[in-house]
Amino acid sequence: MAAASLYSIHSCSSASQNAHLSCRGNVSLPKKLSRRNSASQQLKWKGWRNPPQKLGAGYLFAVRSMAASSDSTNTSRQMELIYDPMERMEKFEQLGTSNDLSRLTLFSPSKINVFLRITDKRSDGFHDLASLFHVISLGDTIKFSLSPMNTKDCLSTNAPGVPLDEKNLIIKALNLYRKKTGSKQFFWIHLDKRVPTGAGLGGGSGNAATALWAANQFNNCLASVEELQEWSGEIGSDIPFFFSRGAAYCTSRGEVVQDIPPPISLDTPMVLMKPQQECSTAEVYKRFRLDKASTVDPLWLLEEISKSGISQNLCINDLEPPAFEVLPSLKKLKQRVLGANRGQYDAVFMSGSGSTIVALGDPEPPQFVYDDDEYSDMFISDAYFLTRNDNEWFQEPGSV
């Protein structure tokens, strides 16, 4: 019977010029594999079948050596290349048991602020707020896989301009989890980005919360949900909200989260409209004037929405005036949506610090959004409110 030995080669990050090599057995392999040279040029052993044309970032393949039996006069070794990156990506969908989890795919939702009151200026330079946050069905997909190299996380994404280093909240969240728990696990992560950046929808915060949840699953839930929520406030004010069950009244900088029953019917449709231009959160807060803000009690807003439902006068966002100064075209968009409303929308308002305008009550935007060239490159998406069950993460609608 032929003996077999397994060799694996993996290129971890786009910054790495050389593939990493780990071997067992006694067949000589090249000491270095460079992306500048194809594998077909460098791996010239008898028996190779269909060698890959190149070694790219994130590709994984295995080399299997089959030795001839001892009574054979043919002592040569035959080498077979097993190379199927699509099979590897498909395996992301497969989960092991709670004790041997190695791959996990999670939905990473976004949120809207149904109302957002700014109540005070803090001594640390931040502002106190009081807001009704709600998770919505627009979200990203994040795939996690345990890395065989316990040195760093490797992040990839489909979205240009998204940082892939420690500036990304996903990497910050994984570093935070290791710091708090002592875990030594590192990950390959792929972020399929659908939530636009700079939108006031908390896409990055949702990514961070999802990464913390994932790391905890890989570590057999070393931390409680309450601990994850508390820790997450160290890297972002909006992140703790995503450990609620989907609807929450948030205060302080946003990190004080009070879970509440959904005050709005979950089947309430909405349409999200985000121009290509973004609002700088720092610039919006710089222009904010506390003496110009609303004086309505946010608890009264919450009570009225819970009791009577959504209406235009209840969806107050104190950051709208400064955001409209930063981006006048955003003010124009909201005014045009309100002007085109023929009763299909219960309320039209900005989420967070912009630049997304939310129209609640109908999943379709007004016709002018389709007709005017001014809005030809605008992000448009329908969405619904979303919640999660205890001890489960948020599920993408239609995935269950």
Side-chain angles (χ1 to χ4, degrees):
M1 192 69 181
S5 55
L6 181 66
Y7 301 80
S8 63
I9 304 171
H10 173 64
S11 177
C12 175
S13 68
S14 58
S16 172
Q17 290 299 316
N18 299 319
H20 298 273
L21 192 62
S22 62
C23 310
R24 294 198 308 271
N26 57 8
V27 175
S28 297
L29 294 180
K31 293 184 178 181
K32 185 180 291 187
L33 291 173
S34 171
R35 281 202 231 144
R36 291 187 292 270
N37 300 311
S38 71
S40 59
Q41 292 174 327
Q42 296 202 30
L43 306 180
K44 292 183 177 179
W45 293 293
K46 183 178 179 180
W48 285 98
R49 289 184 281 177
N50 300 322
Q53 295 301 306
K54 66 180 180 178
L55 293 176
Y59 286 1
L60 178 69
F61 59 89
V63 180
R64 190 173 297 277
S65 167
M66 303 301 294
S69 62
S70 58
D71 60 349
S72 172
T73 57
N74 180 11
T75 59
S76 64
R77 291 179 182 266
Q78 293 182 332
M79 310 295 293
E80 178 186 5
L81 180 64
I82 304 164
Y83 175 70
D84 191 351
M86 290 307 296
E87 179 183 359
R88 175 177 176 250
M89 292 306 293
E90 289 170 2
K91 286 182 178 179
F92 265 121
E93 308 299 332
Q94 301 172 8
L95 304 183
T97 67
S98 59
N99 293 322
D100 62 2
L101 184 64
S102 61
R103 299 174 181 90
L104 184 61
T105 299
L106 291 175
F107 178 63
S108 177
S110 58
K111 58 82 182 173
I112 63 169
N113 302 86
V114 179
F115 66 78
L116 175 57
R117 286 287 339 281
I118 306 297
T119 57
D120 204 359
K121 179 72 177 289
R122 299 159 55 102
S123 59
D124 59 8
F126 290 94
H127 290 78
D128 282 322
L129 61 84
S131 178
L132 171 55
F133 281 64
H134 211 304
V135 169
I136 59 172
S137 58
L138 174 67
D140 305 325
T141 299
I142 312 180
K143 297 182 178 183
F144 300 87
S145 179
L146 279 177
S147 171
M149 294 168 290
N150 294 326
T151 55
K152 65 177 296 184
D153 300 303
C154 297
L155 174 63
S156 63
T157 183
N158 65 323
V162 173
L164 303 179
D165 56 11
E166 286 75 10
K167 295 177 183 177
N168 192 291
L169 282 171
I170 292 175
I171 303 298
K172 287 185 178 182
L174 296 174
N175 286 336
L176 177 68
Y177 187 84
R178 285 186 287 264
K179 173 185 173 184
K180 295 293 187 180
T181 64
S183 170
K184 303 300 182 184
Q185 292 179 338
F186 289 81
F187 301 91
W188 290 330
I189 313 106
H190 181 73
L191 170 63
D192 183 5
K193 195 75 181 157
R194 283 172 284 179
V195 180
T197 59
L201 299 174
S205 297
N207 292 166
T210 304
L212 283 171
W213 182 276
N216 204 38
Q217 299 305 303
F218 279 98
N219 285 272
N220 295 318
C221 297
L222 286 175
S224 67
V225 175
E226 291 75 20
E227 287 173 319
L228 295 177
Q229 185 176 58
E230 181 182 353
W231 298 343
S232 68
E234 296 182 17
I235 56 174
S237 299
D238 287 352
I239 304 173
F241 158 70
F242 286 94
F243 293 101
S244 73
R245 286 186 289 275
Y249 180 66
C250 300
T251 53
S252 189
R253 291 184 293 111
E255 83 282 8
V256 177
V257 180
Q258 177 185 343
D259 248 305
I260 61 173
I264 310 165
S265 173
L266 296 181
D267 60 4
T268 301
M270 70 189 79
V271 59
L272 312 172
M273 295 163 280
K274 182 202 173 292
Q276 287 295 312
Q277 303 95 325
E278 298 181 2
C279 284
S280 163
T281 299
E283 187 63 28
V284 170
Y285 273 101
K286 182 180 177 181
R287 295 179 181 236
F288 172 74
R289 294 276 303 275
L290 188 61
D291 60 342
K292 299 292 185 180
S294 170
T295 58
V296 176
D297 184 350
L299 286 174
W300 179 83
L301 292 174
L302 180 61
E303 181 182 356
E304 285 298 303
I305 290 173
S306 301
K307 182 174 62 177
S308 306
I310 289 291
S311 61
Q312 186 65 43
N313 67 311
L314 298 177
C315 295
I316 295 170
N317 186 339
D318 285 337
L319 294 180
E320 278 191 9
F324 291 164
E325 287 182 25
V326 173
L327 197 61
S329 60
L330 194 61
K331 179 179 181 179
K332 177 183 176 183
L333 174 61
K334 180 187 176 183
Q335 290 175 334
R336 291 197 65 179
V337 175
L338 285 171
N341 186 15
R342 297 296 180 267
Q344 71 269 40
Y345 305 128
D346 300 316
V348 178
F349 55 91
M350 186 183 79
S351 180
S353 58
S355 57
T356 297
I357 297 297
V358 181
L360 277 178
D362 195 290
E364 286 292 329
Q367 187 60 39
F368 75 82
V369 169
Y370 296 119
D371 295 340
D372 290 8
D373 290 342
E374 180 180 356
Y375 302 110
S376 61
D377 60 353
M378 187 165 68
F379 173 86
I380 304 170
S381 176
D382 64 328
Y384 292 83
F385 292 111
L386 198 64
T387 59
R388 68 174 179 87
N389 297 324
D390 288 339
N391 302 316
E392 294 180 8
W393 195 239
F394 295 97
Q395 300 287 325
E396 183 173 12
S399 66
V400 180

